[in-house]
Amino acid sequence: MSILSNRASSQSLSNALQIKTCLLQGFSSFNQLKHVHARLLRLGLDQDNYLLNLFLRRGFDFGKNTCYPRLVFNQTNQPNIYLWNTMIQGLVSADRFDDAVELYCSMRREGFLPNSFTFPFVLKACARLCDLQLGLRTHTLVVKSGFEYDVFVKTSLLSLYAKSGYLEHAHKMFDEIPERNVVSWTVMVSGYISAGRFGEAISMFRRSIETGLRPDGFNLVRVLSACTQSGDLSSAEWIDQYIMENGLGRNLFVATSLVDMYAKCGNMEKARRIFDGMPEKDVVSWSTMIQGYVLNGLAREGVDLFLQMLAEEIKPDCYALVGMFSACARLGALELGDWASNLIDRNEILSIPFLGTALIDMYAKCGNIVKAWEVFKEMKDKDLVVWNAAISGLAINGHVEAVFGLFGHMQKSAIQPNGNTFIGLLSGCAHAGLVDDGRSYLNGMSSFFSLTPSIEHYGCMVDLLARAGLLAEAHKLIESMPMKANAIVWGALLGGCRLHRDTQLAEYVLKQLIELEPWSSGNYVLLSNIYSASQKWSEAANTRSRMNELGIKKIRGCSWVEVDGVVHKFLVGDKTHPLSEEIYAKLDELDKELKAAGYVPTTDFMLFDIEEEEKEHFLRCHSEKLAIAFVLISTTSKDSIRVVKNLRVCGDCHEFIKLVSKITGREIIVRDNNRFHRFIDGLCSCKNYW
């Protein structure tokens, strides 16, 4: 009998060892796991806590389906603390935080006391659930149990308080940790970033470096993001230097974050240096650089880089295309943008709201509102941003009735408007001079939609009133605004003063503008124009002299046109274009035809009291006239002419283009820095109101 008993015992031990070996090796499939469980049941080892612990650990290796491990655990008669810990850890690792907390509470009800392996996972679950109350109770139990100096428990408490926004408590925990590791430093840096306290996050990161800690790529990316959001370029440059000195720039994600940081801080030279020095570049790196160029007003460079990316056989992603569409929108490069839209499947464009929005915006800003409308109609998922893009596109192209109709349709579709929606509506009203409608929309924001008007909305309304000649009302609105007016708001009023030649109010407005933007040439130029229009030549000259004394340069007029996919740039008085002789010859030809049609150059907005003939010469060289002449000699009579200008179209050019559209029979679309003008058969869509 003794021999048989020994043999049984030996066989049982052998079975247990075999199962242990199998469990330690792991499984390639879930079915294998179930076979081992069946073997445990058959051999009567299903209540062996040691083997069950190994089994449960393997049970959590198969994704986030935790049902099977929980079923096995629930059939255990007398689970020990190790089994409880394994279950809690497994549930937390599977992101089943509610289940982990529930199991922890069951463990406490069963009379088990947590240990140093229990607390970190329970605290992590509390942090992820933002359950600060349970976290505080657990902290109390940590102290009572004597684990408050355990480095892992302390770090978990630190994470709980940091993620819950209690950064002072987190910092106290941090200071009490005897040996801080990369996790504790990362938690503090991330906590400050999440709370928007970027300066403290950067300071904490510097301290970690000074202690000799070598940050990983995740930390570097996070802290570079903090530098970007805070605009702390000096700290960013210090981090850049640290990265280069320690050979961390080879990390693709870190290098891309550096490019993004410099681009968003406006230093494209350094962004390009980092980009060019990257040993490998993925599509994210290219997209970041392209969007950086566009963000900083370097649209042409963005287009060139996009084309270089294609030449290197890098397939553009959605973000690269958004950058390309934005660049084309700035340049008015309709053909190029249309071509770029064919680089990606049409269904993908129509299925991704932010990509479709960029395409709508590009078509609208290039003056092709028909195509913009087609994209909008075909979009499969129209979120609020898509609706706003369509409303804004219609508004800047002067289709105000369509704007109002679309807004009504948007409300019927149960899409709640936001502030950007009303900026589009008010802009449409401003372009069309619909003062009563503008007042109604501004008042309706708060009364019907519970939206608080921002400074942008007040700026639109001031622009509307000022254009309509209601300068006193516009000024009164500025004075009654709940926030201090910025340069854009005062600039809108100043534009109205120029339009209606109110030099007295303009002088007052200019003082406000100079205080806000003392180095902006536009303020001085506009006042000089107002004086010139009123034939106050000495005052105009004095204004110009003051600009010269301060070293302020007037922004040169510049226009862009696209012909056969190539964007051509013209400056005022430009003679650098290869076809300059032909362009000026075409202008001479147009001048004769226009004068025969009764055109007389409008010279009352020139800066100086000079001879009429010389004024006419300067007007003749405006960049938009050169651009139009170039397109006339380069394209067929059926093609529309699209011009983008960096400044406001002057009154003389406006009259000139109206007549050119009539005598040539060409549609001419001009987008200046304020609005669109569509000239057809001698008439403009702005109805001479801009």
Side-chain angles (χ1 to χ4, degrees):
M1 192 71 179
S2 173
I3 294 173
L4 291 173
S5 177
N6 287 336
R7 285 180 178 175
S9 177
S10 176
Q11 184 64 39
S12 177
L13 180 60
S14 175
N15 289 331
L17 288 172
Q18 288 177 9
I19 292 175
K20 175 186 174 182
T21 302
C22 186
L23 288 168
L24 290 173
Q25 289 176 347
F27 308 105
S28 59
S29 69
F30 188 63
N31 282 334
Q32 282 186 325
L33 180 76
K34 291 197 289 185
H35 285 311
V36 172
H37 185 211
R39 193 173 178 190
L40 283 171
L41 291 167
R42 189 171 64 252
L43 297 173
L45 298 173
D46 56 305
Q47 297 300 319
D48 185 306
N49 282 341
Y50 176 75
L51 292 176
L52 277 176
N53 195 30
L54 292 176
F55 178 83
L56 289 173
R57 287 183 184 178
R58 294 301 178 191
F60 285 107
D61 289 344
F62 297 95
K64 296 187 178 182
N65 186 353
T66 61
C67 296
Y68 199 80
R70 292 202 68 179
L71 181 63
V72 173
F73 178 79
N74 290 337
Q75 292 174 348
T76 306
N77 297 330
Q78 294 180 326
N80 58 19
I81 186 63
Y82 302 106
L83 286 181
W84 287 101
N85 284 346
T86 296
M87 285 299 299
I88 292 171
Q89 177 183 350
L91 291 169
V92 170
S93 300
D95 295 339
R96 303 296 293 268
F97 305 112
D98 285 310
D99 292 341
V101 167
E102 181 185 341
L103 194 68
Y104 168 72
C105 294
S106 298
M107 185 188 90
R108 296 290 295 126
R109 286 194 296 269
E110 292 289 332
F112 284 90
L113 189 65
N115 59 20
S116 59
F117 293 96
T118 319
F119 287 122
F121 291 101
V122 173
L123 290 168
K124 181 178 180 180
C126 293
R128 294 295 294 272
L129 293 170
C130 298
D131 191 343
L132 186 61
Q133 292 304 313
L134 178 59
L136 290 171
R137 293 199 300 271
T138 306
H139 188 181
T140 302
L141 189 57
V142 165
V143 175
K144 288 181 179 179
S145 304
F147 291 107
E148 69 268 32
Y149 296 109
D150 182 281
V151 65
F152 298 105
V153 175
K154 205 81 170 178
T155 303
S156 298
L157 284 167
L158 162 65
S159 180
L160 168 69
Y161 288 122
K163 289 180 178 178
S164 300
Y166 288 82
L167 290 168
E168 283 66 31
H169 290 74
H171 212 131
K172 183 179 179 182
M173 293 291 109
F174 179 80
D175 290 337
E176 292 175 356
I177 296 176
E179 295 182 11
R180 301 173 189 124
N181 56 21
V182 66
V183 176
S184 53
W185 285 101
T186 300
V187 167
M188 285 305 301
V189 171
S190 299
Y192 280 123
I193 291 174
S194 298
R197 295 163 64 170
F198 304 117
E200 289 161 286
I202 296 167
S203 176
M204 182 67 68
F205 178 78
R206 279 179 176 263
R207 281 179 56 195
S208 72
I209 297 298
E210 290 164 1
T211 63
L213 189 74
R214 185 179 173 88
D216 57 14
F218 174 79
N219 266 333
L220 287 168
V221 169
R222 288 299 303 274
V223 79
L224 284 170
S225 172
C227 293
T228 301
Q229 294 181 73
S230 63
D232 188 350
L233 190 57
S234 62
S235 291
E237 290 173 336
W238 175 81
I239 295 168
D240 180 11
Q241 184 179 355
Y242 173 83
I243 288 170
M244 296 307 163
E245 289 175 354
N246 290 273
L248 299 172
R250 298 186 190 92
N251 184 306
L252 179 62
F253 302 108
V254 172
T256 302
S257 295
L258 273 173
V259 171
D260 182 63
M261 181 274 299
Y262 277 125
K264 288 178 178 173
C265 289
N267 193 329
M268 288 308 298
E269 288 185 12
K270 286 193 174 180
R272 188 60 189 255
R273 172 179 63 80
I274 300 293
F275 179 79
D276 288 340
M278 292 173 65
E280 61 173 313
K281 305 179 185 75
D282 62 3
V283 67
V284 178
S285 311
W286 287 92
S287 300
T288 301
M289 195 68 199
I290 291 166
Q291 291 200 352
Y293 274 131
V294 178
L295 178 69
N296 287 280
L298 302 170
R300 189 154 191 164
E301 288 82 351
V303 170
D304 291 341
L305 192 65
F306 182 87
L307 297 176
Q308 183 184 336
M309 180 184 74
L310 295 182
E312 297 195 17
E313 298 183 349
I314 304 293
K315 185 179 179 180
D317 64 0
C318 296
Y319 299 97
L321 283 167
V322 166
M324 181 62 170
F325 291 153
S326 299
C328 292
R330 284 176 178 265
L331 294 170
L334 177 63
E335 292 177 33
L336 200 57
D338 202 26
W339 166 80
S341 71
N342 294 318
L343 296 175
I344 190 170
D345 184 78
R346 184 75 171 179
N347 287 327
E348 192 169 351
I349 292 177
L350 300 175
S351 301
I352 303 174
F354 74 87
L355 186 57
T357 299
L359 188 58
I360 291 169
D361 184 66
M362 186 274 292
Y363 280 132
K365 287 180 177 175
C366 288
N368 194 329
I369 197 63
V370 173
K371 280 203 169 184
W373 181 248
E374 286 175 359
V375 174
F376 172 76
K377 286 196 300 181
E378 293 174 13
M379 287 292 294
K380 296 175 182 177
D381 183 16
K382 296 185 181 73
D383 62 10
L384 179 58
V385 180
V386 173
W387 284 91
N388 285 347
I391 287 174
S392 175
L394 288 166
I396 62 176
N397 280 275
H399 299 284
V400 184
E401 291 182 5
V403 169
F404 296 161
L406 190 59
F407 179 63
H409 185 47
M410 176 180 167
Q411 290 177 278
K412 291 178 182 177
S413 301
I415 304 292
Q416 182 69 16
N418 65 3
N420 289 333
T421 313
F422 282 92
I423 289 175
L425 290 166
L426 290 169
S427 296
C429 292
H431 289 321
L434 303 176
V435 175
D436 290 337
D437 289 293
R439 291 190 186 114
S440 176
Y441 281 123
L442 185 66
N443 295 330
M445 281 185 66
S446 53
S447 59
F448 291 110
F449 298 99
S450 301
L451 295 171
T452 303
S454 67
I455 195 166
E456 289 81 9
H457 300 106
Y458 286 109
C460 289
M461 195 64 208
V462 169
D463 184 42
L464 170 57
L465 294 170
R467 287 167 183 269
L470 302 172
L471 300 177
E473 185 179 345
H475 189 195
K476 185 178 179 181
L477 179 61
I478 292 175
E479 299 295 335
S480 65
M481 281 165 47
M483 70 286 289
K484 185 178 179 181
N486 59 15
I488 294 173
V489 175
W490 284 113
L493 181 56
L494 190 59
C497 294
R498 175 191 182 279
L499 188 63
H500 299 285
R501 303 185 184 184
D502 189 334
T503 55
Q504 185 176 357
L505 181 57
E507 289 181 71
Y508 171 80
V509 174
L510 185 63
K511 290 178 183 178
Q512 313 305 315
L513 281 167
I514 289 175
E515 184 179 335
L516 292 168
E517 295 181 335
W519 302 108
S520 173
S521 65
N523 302 330
Y524 300 93
V525 171
L526 194 50
L527 182 63
S528 178
N529 285 344
I530 292 169
Y531 284 139
S532 296
S534 303
Q535 297 188 357
K536 295 182 178 180
W537 306 116
S538 61
E539 288 91 337
N542 289 338
T543 303
R544 182 70 181 215
S545 297
R546 188 176 178 187
M547 284 178 64
N548 293 332
E549 289 170 8
L550 294 172
I552 299 171
K553 302 289 185 181
K554 180 182 181 295
I555 298 173
R556 291 186 71 185
C558 180
S559 296
W560 295 267
V561 288
E562 181 189 28
V563 175
D564 296 330
V566 178
V567 177
H568 298 259
K569 178 180 177 180
F570 294 90
L571 296 170
V572 59
D574 199 347
K575 292 189 177 181
T576 61
H577 196 279
L579 298 179
S580 281
E581 288 188 14
E582 292 91 334
I583 290 170
Y584 280 94
K586 185 64 178 178
L587 282 178
D588 288 337
E589 178 187 325
L590 288 172
D591 282 343
K592 293 176 182 177
E593 292 185 62
L594 293 179
K595 285 181 179 179
Y599 165 69
V600 177
T602 307
T603 59
D604 39 331
F605 285 106
M606 292 300 294
L607 289 177
F608 301 105
D609 186 13
I610 54 180
E611 295 300 320
E612 291 295 312
E613 185 179 347
E614 191 172 350
K615 289 182 189 178
E616 290 185 25
H617 170 71
F618 279 109
L619 288 171
R620 182 172 178 266
C621 301
H622 279 190
S623 61
E624 57 267 54
K625 292 181 179 178
L626 297 174
I628 290 169
F630 167 69
V631 179
L632 286 172
I633 64 174
S634 305
T635 60
T636 67
S637 59
K638 294 181 180 180
D639 295 330
S640 295
I641 300 173
R642 290 182 170 83
V643 181
V644 176
K645 187 176 182 182
N646 65 331
L647 302 176
R648 183 181 183 273
V649 173
C650 74
D652 174 71
C653 286
H654 196 265
E655 289 300 311
F656 174 88
I657 300 170
K658 280 201 299 184
L659 285 172
V660 169
S661 72
K662 185 172 184 177
I663 64 173
T664 63
R666 302 282 285 268
E667 177 191 41
I668 304 174
I669 300 167
V670 178
R671 190 185 91 208
D672 64 13
N673 68 343
N674 196 51
R675 69 160 298 155
F676 271 89
H677 302 265
R678 186 182 298 271
F679 300 89
I680 300 176
D681 195 29
L683 299 174
C684 180
S685 60
C686 76
K687 299 175 183 177
N688 298 329
Y689 184 92
W690 84 102

